[in-house]
mmCIF file of all heavy atoms in Angstrom:
data_model
loop_
_atom_site.group_PDB
_atom_site.id
_atom_site.type_symbol
_atom_site.label_atom_id
_atom_site.label_comp_id
_atom_site.label_asym_id
_atom_site.label_seq_id
_atom_site.Cartn_x
_atom_site.Cartn_y
_atom_site.Cartn_z
ATOM 1 N N VAL S 58 10.619 8.813 -0.119
ATOM 2 C CA VAL S 58 11.098 7.444 0.014
ATOM 3 C C VAL S 58 12.118 7.361 1.138
ATOM 4 O O VAL S 58 12.107 6.430 1.941
ATOM 5 C CB VAL S 58 11.686 6.930 -1.325
ATOM 6 C CG1 VAL S 58 12.360 5.596 -1.136
ATOM 7 C CG2 VAL S 58 10.597 6.834 -2.372
ATOM 8 N N GLU S 59 13.004 8.356 1.228
ATOM 9 C CA GLU S 59 14.021 8.345 2.274
ATOM 10 C C GLU S 59 13.404 8.485 3.662
ATOM 11 O O GLU S 59 13.955 8.007 4.639
ATOM 12 C CB GLU S 59 15.029 9.477 2.045
ATOM 13 C CG GLU S 59 15.932 9.245 0.863
ATOM 14 C CD GLU S 59 16.792 10.459 0.546
ATOM 15 O OE1 GLU S 59 16.877 11.368 1.389
ATOM 16 O OE2 GLU S 59 17.385 10.481 -0.542
ATOM 17 N N ASN S 60 12.267 9.172 3.794
ATOM 18 C CA ASN S 60 11.653 9.436 5.089
ATOM 19 C C ASN S 60 10.526 8.468 5.441
ATOM 20 O O ASN S 60 9.804 8.697 6.396
ATOM 21 C CB ASN S 60 11.122 10.878 5.127
ATOM 22 C CG ASN S 60 12.241 11.878 5.050
ATOM 23 O OD1 ASN S 60 13.301 11.672 5.615
ATOM 24 N ND2 ASN S 60 12.013 12.964 4.345
ATOM 25 N N LEU S 61 10.377 7.401 4.689
ATOM 26 C CA LEU S 61 9.311 6.449 4.957
ATOM 27 C C LEU S 61 9.553 5.700 6.262
ATOM 28 O O LEU S 61 10.689 5.441 6.636
ATOM 29 C CB LEU S 61 9.229 5.416 3.834
ATOM 30 C CG LEU S 61 8.723 5.921 2.495
ATOM 31 C CD1 LEU S 61 8.817 4.826 1.456
ATOM 32 C CD2 LEU S 61 7.301 6.416 2.604
ATOM 33 N N VAL S 62 8.467 5.354 6.914
ATOM 34 C CA VAL S 62 8.548 4.493 8.086
ATOM 35 C C VAL S 62 8.465 3.067 7.576
ATOM 36 O O VAL S 62 7.421 2.624 7.107
ATOM 37 C CB VAL S 62 7.393 4.783 9.069
ATOM 38 C CG1 VAL S 62 7.432 3.812 10.235
ATOM 39 C CG2 VAL S 62 7.448 6.220 9.541
ATOM 40 N N VAL S 63 9.591 2.386 7.617
ATOM 41 C CA VAL S 63 9.646 0.995 7.180
ATOM 42 C C VAL S 63 10.132 0.176 8.376
ATOM 43 O O VAL S 63 11.325 0.117 8.645
ATOM 44 C CB VAL S 63 10.583 0.799 5.970
ATOM 45 C CG1 VAL S 63 10.539 -0.641 5.489
ATOM 46 C CG2 VAL S 63 10.227 1.753 4.835
ATOM 47 N N PRO S 64 9.192 -0.432 9.096
ATOM 48 C CA PRO S 64 9.597 -1.200 10.273
ATOM 49 C C PRO S 64 10.398 -2.437 9.868
ATOM 50 O O PRO S 64 10.307 -2.891 8.724
ATOM 51 C CB PRO S 64 8.266 -1.587 10.916
ATOM 52 C CG PRO S 64 7.272 -1.521 9.828
ATOM 53 C CD PRO S 64 7.761 -0.493 8.858
ATOM 54 N N PRO S 65 11.158 -2.968 10.789
ATOM 55 C CA PRO S 65 11.909 -4.200 10.480
ATOM 56 C C PRO S 65 10.950 -5.305 10.035
ATOM 57 O O PRO S 65 9.819 -5.404 10.525
ATOM 58 C CB PRO S 65 12.570 -4.561 11.813
ATOM 59 C CG PRO S 65 12.566 -3.305 12.617
ATOM 60 C CD PRO S 65 11.389 -2.506 12.158
ATOM 61 N N THR S 66 11.410 -6.116 9.122
ATOM 62 C CA THR S 66 10.589 -7.201 8.594
ATOM 63 C C THR S 66 10.462 -8.314 9.631
ATOM 64 O O THR S 66 11.454 -8.756 10.201
ATOM 65 C CB THR S 66 11.197 -7.749 7.290
ATOM 66 O OG1 THR S 66 11.295 -6.658 6.356
ATOM 67 C CG2 THR S 66 10.350 -8.846 6.689
ATOM 68 N N LYS S 67 9.239 -8.739 9.842
ATOM 69 C CA LYS S 67 8.961 -9.825 10.774
ATOM 70 C C LYS S 67 8.985 -11.166 10.032
ATOM 71 O O LYS S 67 8.705 -11.224 8.833
ATOM 72 C CB LYS S 67 7.579 -9.626 11.406
ATOM 73 C CG LYS S 67 7.448 -8.362 12.219
ATOM 74 C CD LYS S 67 5.989 -8.150 12.613
ATOM 75 C CE LYS S 67 5.773 -6.803 13.222
ATOM 76 N NZ LYS S 67 5.923 -5.694 12.288
ATOM 77 N N THR S 68 9.251 -12.220 10.745
ATOM 78 C CA THR S 68 9.277 -13.558 10.158
ATOM 79 C C THR S 68 7.950 -13.886 9.486
ATOM 80 O O THR S 68 7.926 -14.420 8.372
ATOM 81 C CB THR S 68 9.595 -14.615 11.238
ATOM 82 O OG1 THR S 68 10.855 -14.286 11.827
ATOM 83 C CG2 THR S 68 9.657 -16.013 10.657
ATOM 84 N N ILE S 69 6.833 -13.545 10.112
ATOM 85 C CA ILE S 69 5.513 -13.843 9.550
ATOM 86 C C ILE S 69 5.308 -13.129 8.208
ATOM 87 O O ILE S 69 4.650 -13.655 7.307
ATOM 88 C CB ILE S 69 4.389 -13.511 10.561
ATOM 89 C CG1 ILE S 69 3.074 -14.187 10.141
ATOM 90 C CG2 ILE S 69 4.228 -12.016 10.743
ATOM 91 C CD1 ILE S 69 2.009 -14.181 11.225
ATOM 92 N N GLU S 70 5.895 -11.940 8.059
ATOM 93 C CA GLU S 70 5.791 -11.199 6.797
ATOM 94 C C GLU S 70 6.607 -11.890 5.704
ATOM 95 O O GLU S 70 6.116 -12.096 4.582
ATOM 96 C CB GLU S 70 6.264 -9.761 6.986
ATOM 97 C CG GLU S 70 5.377 -8.960 7.908
ATOM 98 C CD GLU S 70 5.974 -7.636 8.345
ATOM 99 O OE1 GLU S 70 7.227 -7.500 8.358
ATOM 100 O OE2 GLU S 70 5.190 -6.734 8.675
ATOM 101 N N THR S 71 7.840 -12.246 6.032
ATOM 102 C CA THR S 71 8.708 -12.943 5.066
ATOM 103 C C THR S 71 8.059 -14.244 4.616
ATOM 104 O O THR S 71 8.021 -14.555 3.417
ATOM 105 C CB THR S 71 10.089 -13.227 5.682
ATOM 106 O OG1 THR S 71 10.678 -11.987 6.084
ATOM 107 C CG2 THR S 71 11.005 -13.939 4.713
ATOM 108 N N GLU S 72 7.536 -15.007 5.568
ATOM 109 C CA GLU S 72 6.891 -16.280 5.234
ATOM 110 C C GLU S 72 5.664 -16.072 4.343
ATOM 111 O O GLU S 72 5.441 -16.841 3.403
ATOM 112 C CB GLU S 72 6.480 -17.012 6.518
ATOM 113 C CG GLU S 72 7.653 -17.518 7.317
ATOM 114 C CD GLU S 72 7.254 -18.061 8.696
ATOM 115 O OE1 GLU S 72 6.069 -17.917 9.090
ATOM 116 O OE2 GLU S 72 8.133 -18.620 9.368
ATOM 117 N N THR S 73 4.886 -15.034 4.618
ATOM 118 C CA THR S 73 3.690 -14.754 3.812
ATOM 119 C C THR S 73 4.077 -14.427 2.371
ATOM 120 O O THR S 73 3.499 -14.967 1.422
ATOM 121 C CB THR S 73 2.873 -13.600 4.432
ATOM 122 O OG1 THR S 73 2.522 -13.945 5.768
ATOM 123 C CG2 THR S 73 1.611 -13.326 3.628
ATOM 124 N N LEU S 74 5.073 -13.566 2.199
ATOM 125 C CA LEU S 74 5.523 -13.205 0.849
ATOM 126 C C LEU S 74 6.062 -14.427 0.110
ATOM 127 O O LEU S 74 5.794 -14.612 -1.085
ATOM 128 C CB LEU S 74 6.575 -12.099 0.918
ATOM 129 C CG LEU S 74 6.102 -10.760 1.506
ATOM 130 C CD1 LEU S 74 7.259 -9.766 1.560
ATOM 131 C CD2 LEU S 74 4.938 -10.186 0.723
ATOM 132 N N GLU S 75 6.813 -15.273 0.820
ATOM 133 C CA GLU S 75 7.348 -16.491 0.193
ATOM 134 C C GLU S 75 6.232 -17.442 -0.227
ATOM 135 O O GLU S 75 6.278 -18.018 -1.317
ATOM 136 C CB GLU S 75 8.318 -17.198 1.146
ATOM 137 C CG GLU S 75 9.645 -16.476 1.299
ATOM 138 C CD GLU S 75 10.569 -17.110 2.342
ATOM 139 O OE1 GLU S 75 10.169 -18.097 3.010
ATOM 140 O OE2 GLU S 75 11.695 -16.601 2.491
ATOM 141 N N LEU S 76 5.230 -17.614 0.631
ATOM 142 C CA LEU S 76 4.106 -18.494 0.286
ATOM 143 C C LEU S 76 3.341 -17.974 -0.931
ATOM 144 O O LEU S 76 2.936 -18.752 -1.805
ATOM 145 C CB LEU S 76 3.157 -18.640 1.485
ATOM 146 C CG LEU S 76 3.678 -19.502 2.637
ATOM 147 C CD1 LEU S 76 2.789 -19.336 3.872
ATOM 148 C CD2 LEU S 76 3.751 -20.968 2.216
ATOM 149 N N ILE S 77 3.163 -16.663 -0.991
ATOM 150 C CA ILE S 77 2.463 -16.079 -2.148
ATOM 151 C C ILE S 77 3.289 -16.270 -3.414
ATOM 152 O O ILE S 77 2.755 -16.689 -4.452
ATOM 153 C CB ILE S 77 2.138 -14.590 -1.887
ATOM 154 C CG1 ILE S 77 1.033 -14.486 -0.835
ATOM 155 C CG2 ILE S 77 1.737 -13.882 -3.186
ATOM 156 C CD1 ILE S 77 0.775 -13.082 -0.324
ATOM 157 N N ASN S 78 4.579 -16.006 -3.343
ATOM 158 C CA ASN S 78 5.416 -16.199 -4.533
ATOM 159 C C ASN S 78 5.489 -17.675 -4.922
ATOM 160 O O ASN S 78 5.489 -17.998 -6.116
ATOM 161 C CB ASN S 78 6.806 -15.610 -4.330
ATOM 162 C CG ASN S 78 6.907 -14.197 -4.865
ATOM 163 O OD1 ASN S 78 6.100 -13.772 -5.689
ATOM 164 N ND2 ASN S 78 7.893 -13.457 -4.398
ATOM 165 N N ASN S 79 5.556 -18.580 -3.954
ATOM 166 C CA ASN S 79 5.551 -20.014 -4.279
ATOM 167 C C ASN S 79 4.255 -20.409 -4.978
ATOM 168 O O ASN S 79 4.271 -21.200 -5.930
ATOM 169 C CB ASN S 79 5.764 -20.859 -3.020
ATOM 170 C CG ASN S 79 7.182 -20.766 -2.494
ATOM 171 O OD1 ASN S 79 8.091 -20.349 -3.203
ATOM 172 N ND2 ASN S 79 7.367 -21.134 -1.236
ATOM 173 N N HIS S 80 3.140 -19.865 -4.526
ATOM 174 C CA HIS S 80 1.854 -20.138 -5.183
ATOM 175 C C HIS S 80 1.875 -19.618 -6.621
ATOM 176 O O HIS S 80 1.454 -20.326 -7.547
ATOM 177 C CB HIS S 80 0.704 -19.497 -4.398
ATOM 178 C CG HIS S 80 -0.618 -19.651 -5.080
ATOM 179 N ND1 HIS S 80 -1.307 -20.846 -5.090
ATOM 180 C CD2 HIS S 80 -1.353 -18.769 -5.823
ATOM 181 C CE1 HIS S 80 -2.421 -20.691 -5.804
ATOM 182 N NE2 HIS S 80 -2.471 -19.446 -6.250
ATOM 183 N N ARG S 81 2.360 -18.406 -6.796
ATOM 184 C CA ARG S 81 2.425 -17.824 -8.143
ATOM 185 C C ARG S 81 3.324 -18.685 -9.045
ATOM 186 O O ARG S 81 2.966 -18.959 -10.193
ATOM 187 C CB ARG S 81 2.935 -16.378 -8.085
ATOM 188 C CG ARG S 81 1.927 -15.396 -7.479
ATOM 189 C CD ARG S 81 2.497 -13.992 -7.401
ATOM 190 N NE ARG S 81 2.841 -13.475 -8.707
ATOM 191 C CZ ARG S 81 1.990 -12.876 -9.545
ATOM 192 N NH1 ARG S 81 0.734 -12.707 -9.198
ATOM 193 N NH2 ARG S 81 2.400 -12.436 -10.724
ATOM 194 N N LEU S 82 4.463 -19.088 -8.539
ATOM 195 C CA LEU S 82 5.387 -19.916 -9.327
ATOM 196 C C LEU S 82 4.752 -21.260 -9.693
ATOM 197 O O LEU S 82 4.965 -21.767 -10.808
ATOM 198 C CB LEU S 82 6.698 -20.130 -8.570
ATOM 199 C CG LEU S 82 7.614 -18.900 -8.483
ATOM 200 C CD1 LEU S 82 8.724 -19.123 -7.463
ATOM 201 C CD2 LEU S 82 8.190 -18.569 -9.858
ATOM 202 N N SER S 83 3.966 -21.831 -8.792
ATOM 203 C CA SER S 83 3.320 -23.120 -9.070
ATOM 204 C C SER S 83 2.325 -23.011 -10.228
ATOM 205 O O SER S 83 1.998 -24.015 -10.855
ATOM 206 C CB SER S 83 2.620 -23.655 -7.817
ATOM 207 O OG SER S 83 1.403 -22.952 -7.572
ATOM 208 N N LEU S 84 1.865 -21.788 -10.495
ATOM 209 C CA LEU S 84 0.930 -21.553 -11.606
ATOM 210 C C LEU S 84 1.637 -21.045 -12.862
ATOM 211 O O LEU S 84 0.983 -20.716 -13.852
ATOM 212 C CB LEU S 84 -0.132 -20.526 -11.180
ATOM 213 C CG LEU S 84 -1.020 -20.918 -10.006
ATOM 214 C CD1 LEU S 84 -1.929 -19.756 -9.612
ATOM 215 C CD2 LEU S 84 -1.841 -22.157 -10.334
ATOM 216 N N GLY S 85 2.958 -20.931 -12.802
ATOM 217 C CA GLY S 85 3.721 -20.424 -13.946
ATOM 218 C C GLY S 85 3.727 -18.908 -14.025
ATOM 219 O O GLY S 85 4.079 -18.339 -15.063
#
Side-chain angles (χ1 to χ4, degrees):
V58 172
E59 289 172 14
N60 294 322
L61 290 175
V62 176
V63 184
T66 302
K67 298 171 189 69
T68 302
I69 196 167
E70 294 168 335
T71 302
E72 291 171 353
T73 302
L74 297 178
E75 287 175 357
L76 287 168
I77 289 171
N78 266 340
N79 289 343
H80 175 75
R81 289 178 61 85
L82 288 167
S83 76
L84 298 175

